[in-house]
């Protein structure tokens, strides 16, 4: 069984400094009211991450409730799809985070944070959600532990993700619609922070990505690092080596960092993050923060940010509600700047093709977020020689997105 | 300088009134008018909010004002042009209230020089806590701008002491655990905090977030504050009526509030 490792075992280069910075990125850009809460959270996390009873409870729940470890699946038909006439081509594996309870990787973090919140004596939980996967994961663990739960969600996302809104409400969570801005993840996050500023003494904020002020980017990464540690063990078991390429979608970047982190110090492993190019990075409608953004501050952290020439945060666009975010986790910005991570983008249309492709080749309907990572194979595979092993983080399942795709009416035809 | 003016207010045992308005709501011309009016009707300093797309320390009233201003195309450049025209004619020093990203976007040093040449004297950045503020405080000081830091009801005594040491012009005591906006009652905690802060600093203390009316303004004055900062109530007036009525309303509110924080000295004088 893998467990969250202790700081001293890890390379210093991917640990934030005392101000919570990865290089120049990260930090704590929040109203003073929240600073004591962040200090309290840092202290609690430092204590419980090495606490055997906390770890034992977490590991057991990850195993029995979440369903870990998730399989590393060899995608045979997808592999054949990209095979060259001479029989070479990428060997494609899927890390099946979609098989987790609630259908995405998000449950790893929500579960761990709710255990932490309970130990901190917090009875009220708030969260933000875009696609609803983090909201559902948080609603689930709050139901499991009998805690009051309020989830902020943009009104536009509530429409796109009606199924997940229903699931959250069914589990007793109050879903609060956010009308500000574009009614998407950025606005839901701001509203959750406002709630936290107001109710900080009774409330724990289960932030859903590797974004936000320190210690969230580090803590959420650690809670998802189980994805990468399992992957390493499974690769070892299947072929006795490391993967050559890791591929994951990046909105805030939690599933990607969860997979990458284990391999950051393995120079032979390429780390590739795929952002949402929406209608194209040359248009105003995309969410390709690392590709197109400039350094800025959003939701408490310094990172790459989509902003206009005045430093106003601009609206992001993606067909995928989970990628529709103008910021990105600070550790990704750092990995990009030091050249350790590679970040590219694919459009809505390319993601929709991949959505359909994976369904028809493998019988797996991926989340539209995940479909972005799959779609990059079209670009990546022709560039590769030999038969490198690619592991794609299949971060979530696509049930929630079926209505979105049906409405577009363009993808499915009788072929 | 902000601190100089506080000194002279203090020598007269006067509590300052600091109204806040959002630049560009409803129009930038109205904002210019409003600055003159507040200056004439009792404002000792004026806090001018730069509209920002993601104002996470603000409640619904100021957030909506910022959204309207941005939708009308208000840009920092224009705000500063307006300030440059208006500020030479104001007695009350101007304090700019802005989130950090627009500052970072221009470059900390360039931003400070630019606002200083427009006539701004002070700076409040609600999402920049002490730990992240060093660079800005230095750059601002080099341009003759005083950067005021915020203290919250949740701040520990150690943090309060450290913030008080670094804060310039005055110390901004946030009176509620929460975002900006009108509250019906002020927390008694503010009284305790003011008493505690008095023991560790002789810098002026302004109390804001949640003060809307004369009674609350008088309350913070009686608790020993050097300034009462009132935002949402002014912003509401400017947003609710047509501009003429809005401007009349803020003139009246400003007079009432100033009277409330100077009751004692008026009585002494009369």
């Amino acid at each position: 069984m893998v467990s969250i490792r202790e700081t001293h075992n890890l390379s210093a280069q991917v640990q934030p400094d005392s101000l919570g910075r990865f290089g120049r990125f990260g930090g704590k850009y929040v109203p003073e009211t929240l600073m004591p809460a962040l200090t309290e959270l840092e202290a609690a996390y430092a204590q419980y991450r090495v606490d055997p009873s906390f770890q034992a409870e977490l590991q057991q729940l990850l195993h029995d409730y979440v369903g870990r470890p998730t399989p590393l699946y060899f995608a045979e038909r997808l592999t054949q799809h990209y095979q060259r006439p001479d029989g070479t081509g990428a060997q494609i594996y899927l890390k099946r985070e979609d098989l987790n309870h609630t259908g995405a990787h998000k449950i790893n973090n929500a579960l761990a944070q709710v255990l932490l919140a309970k130990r901190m004596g917090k009875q009220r939980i708030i969260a933000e959600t875009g696609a609803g996967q983090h909201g559902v994961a948080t609603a689930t663990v709050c139901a499991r532990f009998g805690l009051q739960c309020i989830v902020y969600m943009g009104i536009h996302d509530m429409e796109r993700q009606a199924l997940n809104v229903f699931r959250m409400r069914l589990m007793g969570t109050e879903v609060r619609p956010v009308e500000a801005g574009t009614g998407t993840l950025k606005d839901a996050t701001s509203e959750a922070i406002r709630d936290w500023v107001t109710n900080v003494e009774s409330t724990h904020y289960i932030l859903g990505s590797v974004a936000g002020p320190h210690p969230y980017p580090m803590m959420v990464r650690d809670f998802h690092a189980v994805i990468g540690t399992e992957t390493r063990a499974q690769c070892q078991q299947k072929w006795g080596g490391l993967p050559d390429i890791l591929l994951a979608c990046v909105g805030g970047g939690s599933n990607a960092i969860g997979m990458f982190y284990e391999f950051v110090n393995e120079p032979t492993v390429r780390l590739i993050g795929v952002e949402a190019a929406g209608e194209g990075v040359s248009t105003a409608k995309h969410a390709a923060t690392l590709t197109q953004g400039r350094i800025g501050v959003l939701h408490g952290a310094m990172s790459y940010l989509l902003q206009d020439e005045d430093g106003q945060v601009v609206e992001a666009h993606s067909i995928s509600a989970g990628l529709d975010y103008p910021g990105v986790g600070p550790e990704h910005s750092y990995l990009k700047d030091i050249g350790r991570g590679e970040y590219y983008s694919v459009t809505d249309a390319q993601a929709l093709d991949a959505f359909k492709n994976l369904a028809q080749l493998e019988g797996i309907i991926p989340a539209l977020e995940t479909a972005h990572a799959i779609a990059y194979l079209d670009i990546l595979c022709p560039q590769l020689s030999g038969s490198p092993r690619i592991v794609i983080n299949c971060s979530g399942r696509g049930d929630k997105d079926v209505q979105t795709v049906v409405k577009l009416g363009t993808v499915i035809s009788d072929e | 300088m902000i601190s100089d003016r506080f000194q002279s207010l203090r020598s007269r045992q006067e509590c300052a009134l600091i109204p806040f308005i959002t630049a560009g709501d409803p129009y930038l011309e109205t904002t210019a008018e409003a600055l003159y009016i507040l200056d004439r009707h009792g404002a000792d300093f004026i806090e001018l909010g730069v509209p920002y797309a993601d104002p996470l320390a603000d409640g619904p009233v100021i957030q909506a004002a910022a959204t309207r201003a941005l939708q009308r195309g208000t840009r920092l450049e224009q705000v500063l042009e307006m300030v440059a025209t208006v500020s030479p004619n104001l007695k009350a020093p101007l304090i700019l209230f802005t989130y950090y990203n627009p500052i970072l976007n221009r470059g900390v040093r360039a931003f400070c020089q630019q606002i200083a040449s427009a006539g701004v004297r002070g700076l409040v950045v609600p999402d920049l806590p002490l730990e992240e503020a060093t660079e800005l405080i230095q750059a601002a000081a080099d341009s003759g701008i005083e950067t005021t830091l915020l203290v919250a009801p949740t701040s520990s005594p150690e943090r309060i002491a450290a913030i008080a040491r670094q804060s310039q012009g005055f110390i901004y005591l946030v009176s509620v655990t929460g975002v900006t906006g009108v509250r019906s009652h002020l927390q008694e905690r503010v009284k305790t905090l003011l008493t505690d802060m008095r023991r560790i600093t002789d810098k002026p203390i302004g109390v804001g977030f949640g003060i809307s009316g004369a009674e609350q303004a008088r309350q913070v004055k009686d608790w020993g504050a050097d300034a009462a900062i009132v935002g949402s109530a002014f912003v509401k007036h400017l947003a609710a009526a047509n501009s003429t009525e809005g401007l009349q309303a803020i003139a009246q509110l400003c007079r009432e509030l100033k009277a409330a924080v100077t009751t004692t000295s008026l009585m002494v004088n009369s």
Side-chain angles (χ1 to χ4, degrees):
Chain A
M1 199 80 210
V2 286
S3 67
I4 291 154
R5 299 171 309 170
E6 295 170 33
T7 313
H8 61 259
N9 290 335
L10 298 167
S11 157
Q13 75 161 356
V14 286
Q15 290 310 319
D17 67 15
S18 61
L19 289 174
R21 289 183 183 279
F22 303 92
R24 64 196 298 195
F25 303 103
K28 292 176 185 168
Y29 297 88
V30 294
E32 170 61 21
T33 308
L34 292 181
M35 290 300 284
L38 292 171
T39 309
E40 181 193 358
L41 181 59
E42 266 180 279
Y45 179 56
Q47 178 187 345
Y48 291 113
R49 73 190 302 196
V50 294
D51 177 332
S53 77
F54 178 84
Q55 283 299 332
E57 186 178 7
L58 176 59
Q59 295 310 323
Q60 188 182 358
L61 284 162
L62 283 174
H63 186 268
D64 297 346
Y65 187 68
V66 173
R68 300 207 72 92
T70 60
L72 182 68
Y73 163 70
F74 177 59
E76 193 177 350
R77 295 239 297 148
L78 191 64
T79 294
Q80 281 167 9
H81 180 78
Y82 290 104
Q83 205 167 53
R84 294 170 211 276
D86 67 1
T88 64
Q91 305 290 298
I92 302 165
Y93 292 80
L94 301 178
K95 179 62 175 164
R96 297 292 308 277
E97 291 298 295
D98 59 315
L99 293 180
N100 280 322
H101 180 45
T102 71
H105 71 290
K106 295 288 186 186
I107 190 87
N108 304 325
N109 169 54
L111 176 65
Q113 280 202 50
V114 88
L115 292 180
L116 196 58
K118 270 181 71 77
R119 279 167 173 76
M120 291 167 70
K122 308 278 181 176
Q123 291 299 314
R124 182 178 181 270
I125 299 293
I126 56 169
E128 84 298 332
T129 198
Q133 291 304 84
H134 173 58
V136 167
T138 304
T140 301
V141 293
C142 286
R144 167 66 180 75
F145 288 98
L147 298 176
Q148 183 193 3
C149 181
I150 290 145
V151 171
Y152 290 90
M153 191 169 186
I155 43 168
H156 178 54
D157 287 341
M158 286 179 71
E159 257 168 54
R160 290 198 279 188
Q161 304 293 344
L163 174 63
N164 276 342
V165 174
F166 177 80
R167 291 166 79 194
M168 286 185 270
R169 286 178 171 157
L170 179 64
M171 289 184 283
T173 280
E174 181 190 342
V175 181
R176 287 194 186 161
V178 177
E179 288 182 36
T182 41
T184 58
L185 181 56
K186 170 180 91 72
D187 310 298
T189 307
S190 296
E191 216 45 52
I193 292 175
R194 287 193 183 92
D195 181 315
W196 202 31
V197 171
T198 307
N199 301 294
V200 64
E201 283 151 310
S202 65
T203 299
H204 176 67
Y205 175 21
I206 301 191
L207 207 147
S209 194
V210 286
H214 179 68
Y216 281 104
M218 173 185 77
M219 184 175 76
V220 176
R221 174 200 68 192
D222 292 351
F223 290 150
H224 284 306
V226 61
I227 302 170
T229 46
E230 281 178 10
T231 300
R232 180 193 283 269
Q234 289 163 330
C235 291
Q236 191 61 36
Q237 194 180 24
K238 281 186 195 299
W239 64 82
L242 295 169
D244 297 298
I245 297 171
L246 300 176
L247 199 53
C249 64
V250 176
S254 69
N255 90 85
I257 215 83
M259 173 167 266
F260 292 174
Y261 186 53
E262 174 71 24
F263 301 95
V264 162
N265 294 323
E266 298 286 0
T268 62
V269 182
R270 283 177 72 185
L271 312 177
I272 300 178
V274 184
E275 299 190 297
E279 295 179 5
V281 289
S282 57
T283 72
K285 300 191 82 176
H286 65 78
T289 310
L290 288 164
T291 317
Q292 295 285 307
R294 286 179 294 116
I295 291 170
V297 164
L298 176 66
H299 296 144
M302 184 179 288
S303 195
Y304 281 96
L305 177 62
L306 296 179
Q307 54 186 316
D308 68 12
E309 62 275 21
D310 261 11
Q312 301 285 355
V313 182
V314 300
E315 293 153 2
H317 164 85
S318 169
I319 192 174
S320 158
L323 300 182
D324 196 349
Y325 185 62
V328 64
E331 192 168 353
H332 284 295
S333 292
Y334 179 65
L335 292 178
K336 178 191 158 81
D337 267 21
I338 63 169
R340 182 63 189 96
E342 303 166 52
Y343 297 89
Y344 308 104
S345 61
V346 303
T347 62
D348 288 349
Q350 290 170 306
L352 280 167
D353 280 347
F355 180 80
K356 176 184 164 189
N357 213 24
L358 194 69
Q360 299 191 346
L361 289 173
E362 295 289 348
I364 296 170
I365 302 172
L368 280 174
E369 291 84 349
T370 308
H372 283 73
I374 312 277
Y376 191 67
L377 289 170
D378 279 352
I379 302 158
L380 179 65
C381 286
Q383 302 170 4
L384 302 172
S385 55
S387 301
R389 293 184 175 92
I390 301 178
V391 176
I392 303 178
N393 198 0
C394 194
S395 56
R397 67 180 191 219
D399 310 38
K400 70 187 171 65
D401 294 317
V402 166
Q403 282 307 316
T404 300
V405 176
V406 166
K407 271 186 202 152
L408 290 168
T410 52
V411 175
I412 313 303
S413 56
D414 296 322
E415 288 178 41
Chain B
M1 296 289 276
I2 309 284
S3 36
D4 296 341
R5 190 163 171 102
F6 264 112
Q7 281 308 322
S8 64
L9 283 162
R10 215 179 235 185
S11 64
R12 299 198 299 270
Q13 289 185 312
E14 237 186 275
C15 177
L17 173 67
I18 311 182
F20 167 101
I21 54 174
T22 300
D25 181 52
Y27 299 98
L28 213 44
E29 297 74 33
T30 332
T31 308
E33 279 297 304
L35 291 176
Y36 288 127
I37 285 175
L38 295 170
D39 189 54
R40 282 202 303 271
H41 292 271
D44 296 293
F45 306 86
I46 303 169
E47 218 182 312
L48 184 64
V50 176
Y52 184 55
D54 200 55
L56 52 76
D58 283 305
V61 171
I62 293 175
Q63 187 187 5
T67 305
R68 285 190 299 267
L70 289 173
Q71 279 167 351
R72 294 206 176 102
T74 308
R75 301 194 46 193
L76 180 61
E77 213 66 51
Q78 302 160 336
V79 172
L80 293 178
E81 275 170 33
M82 180 274 289
V83 167
T85 317
V86 173
S87 63
N89 307 312
L90 299 178
K91 294 191 303 292
L94 281 181
I95 299 164
L96 209 64
F97 179 100
T98 176
Y99 287 83
Y100 188 54
N101 198 52
I103 300 178
L104 186 66
N105 179 65
R106 275 171 194 249
V108 171
R109 212 150 267 282
F111 179 90
C112 292
Q113 285 160 2
Q114 196 175 2
I115 63 168
S117 58
V120 170
R121 293 285 172 264
L123 193 53
V124 174
V125 186
D127 59 346
L128 198 69
L130 176 68
E131 286 78 356
E132 307 287 359
T134 317
E135 185 190 1
L136 179 64
I137 291 172
Q138 187 56 55
D142 292 346
S143 298
I145 303 268
E146 289 173 309
T147 307
T148 288
L149 299 176
L150 296 90
V151 162
T154 51
S155 308
S156 67
E158 296 73 29
R159 277 192 74 78
I160 292 175
I163 292 165
R165 273 196 298 279
Q166 295 297 318
S167 190
Q168 302 187 349
F170 65 106
I171 304 157
Y172 195 133
L173 173 58
V174 174
S175 64
V176 293
T177 306
V179 294
T180 61
V182 171
R183 307 292 198 287
S184 50
H185 294 290
L186 280 178
Q187 295 177 355
E188 280 283 327
R189 213 156 155 183
V190 176
K191 186 182 179 182
T192 319
L193 276 166
L194 275 166
T195 314
D196 294 347
M197 285 171 73
R198 277 284 171 248
R199 289 199 197 104
I200 55 163
T201 181
D202 58 359
K203 285 184 182 166
I205 303 167
V207 176
F209 282 44
I211 302 177
S212 58
E215 198 182 322
Q216 291 163 329
R218 189 178 297 121
Q219 179 113 77
V220 299
K221 178 222 153 211
D222 289 344
W223 286 341
D226 296 282
I229 306 160
V230 181
S232 295
F234 282 102
V235 172
K236 234 183 222 169
H237 279 307
L238 283 173
N242 68 43
S243 290
T244 317
E245 286 170 20
L247 290 168
Q248 281 168 2
I250 64 161
Q252 192 185 335
L253 178 62
C254 196
R255 282 195 304 271
E256 280 171 19
L257 289 168
K258 183 60 192 174
V261 296
T262 48
T263 316
T264 320
S265 47
L266 280 180
M267 282 164 66
V268 171
N269 291 341
S270 61

